[in-house]
Amino acid sequence: MSPSPRVSRRTVGITEVARHAGVSPGTVSNVLNRPERVAEATRRKVEAAIAELDYVRNSSGSSLRSGRSGSVGLLVLDVTNPFFTEVARGVEDEAAESGLAVVLLNSAEQQDRQRRNLRLLAEQRAAGAVVMPVDDDLSDLVWLSRQGTPWVALDRGDVAAEVGCSVSVDNHAGGLAAGRHLIGLGHESITFLTGPFAIEQVRQRHRGLLDACAEADLDPGSTVRVVEQPLLNAAQGERAVDTVLAGGPRQRPQAVFCANDQLALGLMKGLGQRGVRVPEDISVVGYDNVGFADLVHPGLTSVAQPKYELGRSAMRLLHSELDDPDHRHERVWFTPELVVRGSTAARRT
């Protein structure tokens, strides 16, 4: 069989569109950029020519003139975490209303990858960025500001307003709610399964748990044990099972509060493989309330974050910085909510 002929296509330019519509190139430019200046009949004629010729506008020229592209970056800690799917949807929906495209980037909780991705955004002259920093070091974001690229920190409540905008959930309140729930069920031996304490959200959730213990007149030091993993994903939750269960049935915790749902789901899988029942033997609480939390059995009790609204709010702040010459940095806070499902139960004596 002979090979299919190669199809070559010459790019249609604005001059061809103008000739086809019987107007000047300037009129076509106005239709594309300032349609309100063009009479309706003329505009329709140009739009028909664009459709017939399958013209695709070249935005690189306008990007060079304006100094920025029509895209914004969204840099997250872990693209495999379904928490970020809803956040990304919120960012994209808000960005689309202004005709901006969203480029999703992944730091994989590694600072070198964060730095590389932010440099890429600066090189590509991105209009701005929504960033979830990997740790407390904000020097990469300060560098991005010096390049003229505005940013908003996502899920980081400790960013000073004079440094930049931030959108966050009250992670201390989430940890407090989880702790109160477990203590209210009679649990006095709680393991906090977490990722690196370099992450501010992790520290705040842990502090909320400790404050719940102190509030109930329990000694936080003897009530709470920390198991720290290198990453916040399901594989790490599964790998942590033997550490959580170390010492045998008499030493194992009555409950485990996980710093996110990924860890919790991995932990529950590992517990089941070892014949440890949830919640009969150990109660488990997660954080984020991802979609899978309600699909496993038993359903995962989790601290819910308004994921979609987090994304939309971050993009709104970025819009303001891009378009408002009088923009002032803001810190936006949301309050989490505990969603109780079947993975937690009263302590059995």
Side-chain angles (χ1 to χ4, degrees):
M1 188 170 74
S2 60
S4 300
R6 188 181 219 169
V7 177
S8 62
R9 171 175 170 153
R10 186 176 65 84
T11 302
V12 174
I14 198 171
T15 303
E16 286 87 350
V17 173
R19 188 181 302 117
H20 193 78
V23 298
S24 69
T27 300
V28 177
S29 178
N30 280 336
V31 170
L32 293 171
N33 301 295
R34 296 172 293 275
E36 69 281 356
R37 297 186 179 183
V38 183
E40 183 177 355
T42 303
R43 188 175 72 247
R44 287 182 176 176
K45 189 161 53 174
V46 172
E47 289 171 346
I50 288 172
E52 289 174 23
L53 296 176
D54 199 17
Y55 167 75
V56 177
R57 67 185 299 169
N58 183 350
S59 62
S60 61
S62 59
S63 296
L64 289 171
R65 289 190 295 274
S66 67
R68 72 186 192 202
S69 73
S71 63
V72 296
L74 170 59
L75 179 57
V76 300
L77 293 175
D78 180 8
V79 293
T80 66
N81 188 337
F83 168 80
F84 297 113
T85 304
E86 278 296 290
V87 171
R89 193 167 67 86
V91 171
E92 188 173 36
D93 284 355
E94 185 69 26
E97 293 181 7
S98 296
L100 291 169
V102 178
V103 178
L104 180 63
L105 302 165
N106 180 35
S107 69
E109 302 179 36
Q110 299 173 24
Q111 191 168 46
D112 61 333
R113 287 187 61 169
Q114 170 181 280
R115 184 171 295 123
R116 193 160 62 244
N117 281 319
L118 292 181
R119 179 168 291 276
L120 177 65
L121 290 176
E123 290 173 353
Q124 296 296 322
R125 300 295 188 267
V130 176
V131 181
M132 177 173 281
V134 298
D135 55 27
D136 293 343
D137 184 0
L138 301 179
S139 59
D140 289 342
L141 291 178
V142 173
W143 175 87
L144 194 63
S145 294
R146 289 202 299 267
Q147 309 313 306
T149 305
W151 52 266
V152 174
L154 180 65
D155 206 18
R156 281 293 298 268
D158 61 340
V159 177
E162 60 267 21
V163 176
C165 288
S166 64
V167 177
S168 184
V169 178
D170 189 340
N171 287 288
H172 175 267
L176 189 66
R180 285 171 173 168
H181 174 64
L182 292 173
I183 293 168
L185 292 172
H187 300 301
E188 297 180 355
S189 171
I190 303 170
T191 290
F192 181 59
L193 176 57
T194 182
F197 265 77
I199 300 174
E200 187 253 352
Q201 300 95 308
V202 162
R203 296 197 305 274
Q204 291 300 320
R205 293 166 194 179
H206 177 248
R207 189 167 67 85
L209 175 61
L210 297 183
D211 286 349
C213 294
E215 181 182 88
D217 293 326
L218 295 174
D219 176 21
S222 59
T223 302
V224 177
R225 174 191 175 214
V226 174
V227 173
E228 184 176 351
Q229 298 294 105
L231 296 170
L232 286 154
N233 60 37
Q236 293 296 328
E238 192 172 351
R239 287 180 191 139
V241 173
D242 288 335
T243 305
V244 171
L245 298 177
R250 291 181 179 272
Q251 298 297 319
R252 73 186 178 202
Q254 297 158 6
V256 181
F257 173 34
C258 300
N260 74 355
D261 286 349
Q262 295 280 84
L263 285 172
L265 293 169
L267 175 74
M268 288 172 65
K269 177 184 176 183
L271 291 174
Q273 290 172 340
R274 289 159 180 78
V276 179
R277 300 167 299 168
V278 177
E280 292 86 354
D281 299 322
I282 295 181
S283 286
V284 177
V285 175
Y287 205 107
D288 289 338
N289 194 39
V290 299
F292 295 128
D294 198 28
L295 298 178
V296 295
H297 181 75
L300 176 62
T301 295
S302 184
V303 179
Q305 302 196 78
K307 300 174 281 296
Y308 178 79
E309 195 54 44
L310 271 172
R312 286 209 77 131
S313 294
M315 193 61 223
R316 285 190 198 110
L317 289 178
L318 189 58
H319 269 151
S320 174
E321 187 152 0
L322 290 171
D323 300 332
D324 184 359
D326 299 319
H327 170 83
R328 292 187 178 183
H329 294 319
E330 296 181 48
R331 299 173 72 183
V332 177
W333 286 88
F334 290 93
T335 302
E337 178 184 355
L338 183 71
V339 178
V340 179
R341 298 190 180 95
S343 67
T344 52
R347 172 188 172 189
R348 291 190 174 188
T349 57

